[in-house]
Amino acid sequence: MKHYLQFKDFTADEYAYLFERAALIKKKFKSYEKHHPLVDRTLAMIFEKASTRTRVSFEAGMYQLGGSVVHLTTGDSQLGRAEPIEDSAKVISRMTDLVMIRTFEQTKIERFAAHSRVPVINGLTNEFHPCQILADIFTFIEHRGSIAGKVVAWVGDGNNMANTWLQAAELLGFKVHVSTPRGYEVDEKLASGPSGPSAGSYQFFSDPLEACKGADLVTTDVWTSMGYEAENEARKKAFADWCVDQEMMAVAKPDALFMHCLPAHRGEEVEADVIDGPQSVVWDEAENRMHVQKALMEYLLLGRVA
Ligand code: CP
Ligand code: NVA
């Protein structure tokens, strides 16, 4: 049994399979062709933080695969009343076939997985957001072909998204130019791939403009992630120069793409003319969450089917 708790849980070969499978599943969806490999299977979705895309993409995706879903939040389950995570894992995984969790510390999802009878998927933790990077790389491939050897510029917080990009770079052979304000750097230990911290797959820039030079993809995220709201005012000051604007896009490659996992704050981490401009692929990126996660759920429950 496999879990998907961090990007480095899968090999490059498994990712090649998933990207191909997601393309096929997307094609079927677009042509209204039924694809029901998960009939009678149930996905439990546990949300301890808010969500729009993750909820809709997993829920719609599971129904489209022929299965069904159960939706739990901290507020409407015993999870919010201090039932031990281990007990919750044992119970939920006896009644369902697959579990997706969005929570705070990575250790929480690891404890759940350790006591689960069924595969567990990380739907975002403070440390990682692997389903999002799966969608982002799939979107890059759709628009530009293989990401191997390419340069991704990460502008902003050294957060769950940044950590996951760095794991992906080491695994799939591309480079990340990271620019964060001082004090908000990525945690190198968390961000390292299966072979440990690799200096070759990322480079730090104190100036975000320098990080964007020659990039094939410029990407950013909110200045304040969920769970860090108390730091909002301090972060607004610290991140003021880490706003992706036309000047940054102009020094990237002429055909560079712009991505943002969303939700976005126009005028903070990105200017409206960039996210709503011709280089932005954020709507494809959001939609692709569903297609890659359908491939992921099928893979975790049935293995390779092609
Ligand atoms: N990108 C993403 O995970 O969005 P939600 O928070 O809406 O799920
Ligand atoms: N880094 C953001 C991503 C939201 C999808 C957060 O964790 O809130």
Side-chain angles (χ1 to χ4, degrees):
M1 183 178 71
K2 272 178 185 297
H3 299 296
Y4 191 53
L5 307 184
Q6 341 187 355
F7 201 87
K8 69 177 177 187
D9 286 349
F10 287 174
T11 63
D13 188 52
E14 286 175 299
Y15 282 113
Y17 168 78
L18 282 174
F19 292 136
E20 226 172 87
R21 193 73 191 153
L24 182 90
I25 287 172
K26 180 172 181 176
K27 209 168 141 216
K28 285 188 169 192
F29 174 79
K30 294 289 179 187
S31 57
Y32 299 94
E33 198 183 320
K34 275 195 176 59
H35 181 62
H36 284 172
L38 301 186
V39 172
D40 293 336
R41 306 292 182 107
T42 307
L43 164 74
M45 305 191 297
I46 302 172
F47 285 97
E48 297 208 284
K49 290 176 177 173
S51 167
T52 296
R53 279 143 289 269
T54 303
R55 164 116 192 235
V56 176
S57 57
F58 270 105
E59 189 159 338
M62 189 58 177
Y63 284 125
Q64 288 163 23
L65 292 171
S68 54
V69 300
V70 175
H71 177 252
L72 291 165
T73 66
T74 314
D76 66 13
S77 69
Q78 302 290 3
L79 288 160
R81 298 182 62 251
E83 179 166 13
I85 196 99
E86 293 79 5
D87 294 2
S88 304
K90 286 177 192 165
V91 172
I92 294 167
S93 69
R94 278 183 181 235
M95 297 184 226
T96 61
D97 301 280
L98 191 58
V99 180
M100 187 289 305
I101 308 180
R102 166 167 288 196
T103 187
F104 292 88
E105 298 81 19
Q106 183 73 10
T107 49
K108 251 179 140 174
I109 199 170
E110 282 167 3
R111 280 164 59 206
F112 192 104
H115 294 86
S116 172
R117 287 183 166 189
V118 302
V120 177
I121 299 171
N122 182 346
L124 180 146
T125 57
N126 291 349
E127 289 87 348
F128 300 114
H129 197 2
C131 292
Q132 183 68 54
I133 302 302
L134 191 62
D136 292 7
I137 295 174
F138 179 73
T139 307
F140 186 90
I141 295 169
E142 271 191 326
H143 284 269
R144 295 283 181 268
S146 171
I147 198 165
K150 297 291 198 302
V151 173
V152 175
W154 175 265
V155 176
D157 192 14
N159 63 10
N160 42 11
M161 285 288 296
N163 291 336
T164 312
W165 268 116
L166 262 58
Q167 282 198 346
E170 192 194 313
L171 204 64
L172 302 181
F174 60 93
K175 198 162 175 179
V176 187
H177 286 180
V178 183
S179 181
T180 68
R182 201 185 286 271
Y184 297 95
E185 294 89 354
V186 287
D187 178 334
E188 290 201 16
K189 217 166 137 243
L190 285 177
S192 68
S195 46
S198 157
S201 58
Y202 75 95
Q203 197 177 337
F204 180 80
F205 294 83
S206 48
D207 179 353
L209 197 64
E210 288 297 316
C212 293
K213 278 191 181 154
D216 297 279
L217 166 63
V218 177
T219 185
T220 186
D221 187 11
V222 291
W223 290 342
T224 304
S225 284
M226 291 179 280
Y228 297 84
E229 289 80 4
E231 300 172 14
N232 204 18
E233 286 313 306
R235 283 173 172 266
K236 275 191 174 166
K237 286 192 192 109
F239 283 86
D241 294 333
W242 277 263
C243 172
V244 178
D245 55 15
Q246 287 296 358
E247 197 188 348
M248 290 188 198
M249 294 308 293
V251 298
K253 291 231 176 88
D255 69 343
L257 299 174
F258 172 78
M259 289 190 197
H260 189 309
C261 65
L262 306 176
H265 297 79
R266 289 168 177 79
E268 291 192 9
E269 74 274 7
V270 61
E271 290 297 0
D273 58 359
V274 172
I275 192 167
D276 299 319
Q279 287 166 283
S280 173
V281 291
V282 297
W283 313 121
D284 287 344
E285 184 188 359
E287 178 190 324
N288 282 335
R289 285 290 302 277
M290 185 173 81
H291 305 303
V292 297
Q293 288 162 195
K294 284 169 76 178
L296 173 67
M297 291 192 284
E298 184 191 68
Y299 180 62
L300 288 172
L301 289 176
L302 306 179
R304 290 188 196 225
V305 290

